[in-house]
Amino acid sequence: MAACNEVDISADKVAEVETSATQEEQEEGKEEKRMIIFRKIMDKCLNKIMSAGRHSQFKNCFKELRTANSGAFDSISEQLMNHLKANIETEISLMIKQEDLEYFFDTLDRAVEENSSRPTPAWRPSGEPSTDCRDHLMAVKSTYRDQLKGMLEKIENENKSLEDVILPQREKVEENQKMLPKKAEHLREAAELCEDFNMSRLQEQAMALVND
């Protein structure tokens, strides 16, 4: 009796799976090509798994149990296979939902469709690392170049600031250098006057130096 109840429960489970499969077939028309291919691949894998556990395999592995009660054994084996198939299908559906495969496959289909009219083929590795890395290295070197340009601009601005400070001071020094011979001449004359004790002339020279 328990076996019959289990068979009934299994039948209900199979009916649910079949209903779910029918709904999936109705929604299949809304799915993109890659998602449909993925589902077909999963179905083929599931069929191979189920064929490996077909009824004849159970009979060969559990001969003594089947001999003792063939009806119960057939019911249990059928129920087991139906539950296994239902669980695998549930896991596949859960994986598709959790990983959001429909979105990624749809995105991939759209990307392929958008690039199908490209005048030139999409980039593919050439097998030469130096060639394949050229674009990446160019971006790195461009960034480094921009950094160097920024450093150079900063140094030039600092030099300009220093030039604005130093140039007036240098002009003042040059002006003082031009005045040195004249002042030296006054000092020489003052020294000569000191030697001659001409105090009046010495005072005149001192006043000239002060005025200069």
Side-chain angles (χ1 to χ4, degrees):
M1 186 67 178
C4 293
N5 291 334
E6 290 176 353
V7 173
D8 292 338
I9 295 173
S10 177
D12 293 339
K13 187 68 174 179
V14 173
E16 292 178 2
V17 172
E18 290 177 350
T19 302
S20 177
T22 303
Q23 293 176 350
E24 290 180 358
E25 290 177 357
Q26 292 175 353
E27 295 177 354
E28 191 176 79
K30 301 179 182 179
E31 294 179 346
E32 298 294 338
K33 180 176 64 175
R34 294 180 191 275
M35 192 66 228
I36 295 173
I37 293 173
F38 177 79
R39 290 189 184 277
K40 289 181 178 179
I41 292 173
M42 291 294 100
D43 290 340
K44 288 183 178 180
C45 293
L46 178 58
N47 291 334
K48 287 186 177 181
I49 293 173
M50 299 308 298
S51 63
R54 58 186 180 273
H55 189 64
S56 58
Q57 294 290 341
F58 278 95
K59 290 192 298 183
N60 295 332
C61 295
F62 303 99
K63 291 180 180 180
E64 295 181 359
L65 291 176
R66 188 173 185 278
T67 302
N69 191 338
S70 61
F73 179 84
D74 293 341
S75 175
I76 291 172
S77 61
E78 182 181 357
Q79 180 183 356
L80 178 62
M81 293 303 295
N82 289 334
H83 278 296
L84 176 62
K85 182 177 181 180
N87 289 336
I88 293 176
E89 288 177 341
T90 301
E91 289 297 327
I92 292 174
S93 299
L94 185 61
M95 177 188 67
I96 292 173
K97 182 178 179 180
Q98 288 181 342
E99 301 298 332
D100 203 6
L101 294 182
E102 290 187 11
Y103 168 77
F104 288 110
F105 283 139
D106 293 349
T107 303
L108 180 59
D109 282 334
R110 287 195 297 271
V112 172
E113 184 178 355
E114 291 172 359
N115 289 276
S116 60
S117 58
R118 287 171 57 97
T120 57
W123 180 87
R124 292 293 183 273
S126 65
E128 293 292 335
S130 59
T131 302
D132 296 338
C133 294
R134 185 176 300 164
D135 292 339
H136 172 70
L137 293 176
M138 182 61 68
V140 174
K141 290 182 178 180
S142 297
T143 302
Y144 185 58
R145 180 195 59 191
D146 294 339
Q147 292 177 350
L148 291 178
K149 284 184 176 179
M151 295 171 62
L152 179 60
E153 183 177 356
K154 182 179 179 181
I155 293 173
E156 289 177 345
N157 292 334
E158 291 177 353
N159 289 340
K160 182 67 170 57
S161 299
L162 291 174
E163 183 179 349
D164 293 339
V165 174
I166 294 174
L167 185 59
Q169 295 180 357
R170 186 178 65 181
E171 292 176 350
K172 185 176 181 179
V173 170
E174 291 176 351
E175 183 179 353
N176 290 335
Q177 286 178 342
K178 293 178 181 178
M179 294 175 63
L180 284 176
K182 185 176 181 181
K183 290 186 176 183
E185 179 64 22
H186 289 311
L187 289 173
R188 186 181 63 79
E189 292 178 359
E192 291 177 353
L193 291 173
C194 287
E195 292 177 357
D196 296 337
F197 298 100
N198 189 344
M199 297 302 296
S200 60
R201 183 62 178 168
L202 181 60
Q203 290 177 352
E204 291 177 2
Q205 292 294 332
M207 291 298 296
L209 287 172
V210 172
N211 292 332
D212 291 340

